[in-house]
Amino acid sequence: MYSYNEFDEAFVRERVAQFRAQVERRIDGSLTEDEFKPLRLMNGLYLQLHAYMLRVAIPYGTLNPDQMRQLAMIAERWDKGYGHFTTRQNIQYNWPALKDVPDMLDALADVGMHAIQTSGNTIRNVTADHFAGAAADEIEDPRPYAELLRQWSTDHPEFQFLPRKFKIAVSGAKADRAVVRAHDIGLEIVKNDAGEVGFRVLVGGGLGRTPMIGKVIRDFLPKEDLLPYCEAVVSVYNLLGRRDNKYKARIKITVHENGIDEVRRQVEERFALLREQFGGADQELLTEIRAAFAAPDLPARPLDAFERAYNSDPVFRAWADTNVTEHAAPGYGLVTISLKAHGQTPGDATGDQMRVMADLGEAFSHGELRISHEQNVILPHVHKSDLPEVHARLKAAGLGTANVGLISDIIACPGMDYCALATARSIPVAQQIATRFDELKLEHDIGPLKIKISGCINACGHHHVGHIGILGLDRAGVENYQITLGGDGTEDAAIGTRTGPGFAYDQIVPAIEKIIGAYLDQRDAPEETFLQFYKRVGMDPFKAALYDAEEKQRAA
Amino acid sequence: MSRQFTPKVVTANALLEGDVVYLTEDDRWTREHREAELIEDEAHAQIRLVDASARADEVVGAYLADAIPGPNGPEPVHFREVFRTRGPSNYAHGKQAD
Ligand code: SF4
């Protein structure tokens, strides 16, 4: 795994020392909040509804066991014993006291982590496929490129004051598990007709107030041109992007207003200049980085222990069927640890749970853990014969829920339980939906289904790309929830369509039940997934289920 | 005739812990909504807000929030302010734990 070089280490330590002095000066009154706010945001420190919040970057979602243990220690020593994993592969601490934050940052630096560029109008944490370097359908591990992008974008002098925040995601597989089409720059590793590996580059994707699917700006970019090309995109955006209106400042609007062809023309022009300047230094760096991501040695081993457990223990079998994905190496699996126990807060893990996951990563997954944008944790390289032991230990820690990809595996942003920008709550809605469908024992019958919930139009909960999306709003001083259907965050990305009028807080779970009822009653066969059904029949049966009874009541 | 003025409280977050606080009549910061000064006059509300905002080494982000009189003191009106008096709904953390 990649570890920080001396330059990174010195840079992070210096930033912590600076911030420590800034916090002291804020507390003793020599800095005003107006002066201090940009400084704290540069270091990932937000002020939310009830307390401060520290957002820590987990670059491309990859962690080693020591880092995970340190996250546990920080949660217990300076927070309330848990952390919240986010849809951008970050972790958030919801209750730090201001004076403790420099110590927390120092503790992070001890394991090569930080909170830099997790806020502000900069290039944010670069995210990647959480199955990177292990997936059976992968062309190449995207993380060396994500790391190259991280080093290039960290403290990049030209890009500290962009018109707005800027998010990059990289995927190296055929299936898109990183929602690359909803990013400012989405990078897909592809093979061209000549068999060469390069990138398909998309720009202008994004959710939020004006959701847009990214547009292809370059069908095939040779690998070695990655940095100059990305720099060209960001610098064209830096000039063209609007600074007069926050809501029109993201690159998706720049692309929309100028047209993809004009943006492409300007990017290519700038790229021609930059390409010379890079001169290949980045390629030497990439070679070093790549060595750090070399795949672990995964020898073939007998599968008897796995087969025995699989055939004799139905609980284990259900878990293995839903939470384990085939690995590129025969006999191995990718374990997705669900942080979505029914009724719990999506994405939360206690310090104890983090340590259990760290230990399992160490013993059974070649020292690697991943955080997914779906707010789960992944052990990427587990031999199947170790799965019974892994499952038993997860179960004992309350981490054995077999629901990955099912209706209770819900993405939910913090919403109005924490976030100062929220217009409604999202966590309790997720908790109630998961609890309800667990009671109904329908989860496995319903099959693959992604519900995504955001507590405001900013869409951190990716509701636009949920098969069922839920958006919490404030309608005349009351929480109200809009439902969208048919969204898709994969390579077939689509923005969901609104069903119609929204639902009150106590009506949202019944509304979801009606939607599921319509699907179960009318699907062709159990094999027809919710999304396939929606694509075949459209909105009508759902509208009927949601609103007809109401209309009849009103008419009566 | 001018429109009816909805009474207000001055609220903010404490600088050190980030906890929600309210301004009392005798210029203390309290953690209890019911102890807040209920301000019924618009001009007075603006003055109290200016005073509160000046106390930058104690609080962050002071603003006026709607409130109504209740049997034990002022009560919040909007659900966001109700949540701020309690804490999150997924754990017994924040004020509701004290
Ligand atoms: S979607 Fe809105 S409520 Fe949810 S975390 Fe983002 S900004 Fe906050």
Side-chain angles (χ1 to χ4, degrees), chain A residues 26 33 47 49-52 80 82 95 98 345 348 416-418 420 423 425 428 474 477-479, chain B residues 13-20 56-57 59-60 78-80 83-84 87-91 93-94:
Chain A
R26 176 69 183 106
E33 185 60 18
L47 183 56
L49 275 188
H50 313 291
Y52 287 97
K80 292 195 189 290
Y82 75 98
W95 301 95
L98 180 57
T345 305
D348 279 11
M416 206 181 272
D417 289 303
Y418 298 92
T423 43
R425 288 171 292 176
D474 172 352
V478 181
E479 286 170 294
Chain B
N13 289 80
L15 171 67
L16 297 181
E17 301 86 32
D19 192 6
V20 175
D57 51 347
V59 298
V60 181
H78 192 276
F79 62 88
R80 184 178 194 268
F83 297 153
R84 287 179 81 243
S89 49
N90 59 332
Y91 299 113
H93 290 158

Side-chain angles (χ1 to χ4, degrees), chain A residues 36-55:
Chain A
F36 180 64
K37 189 175 174 186
L39 301 172
R40 69 167 158 79
L41 288 176
M42 275 172 70
N43 290 286
L45 185 63
Y46 288 71
L47 183 56
Q48 303 213 106
L49 275 188
H50 313 291
Y52 287 97
M53 179 272 280
L54 181 66
R55 179 182 293 159

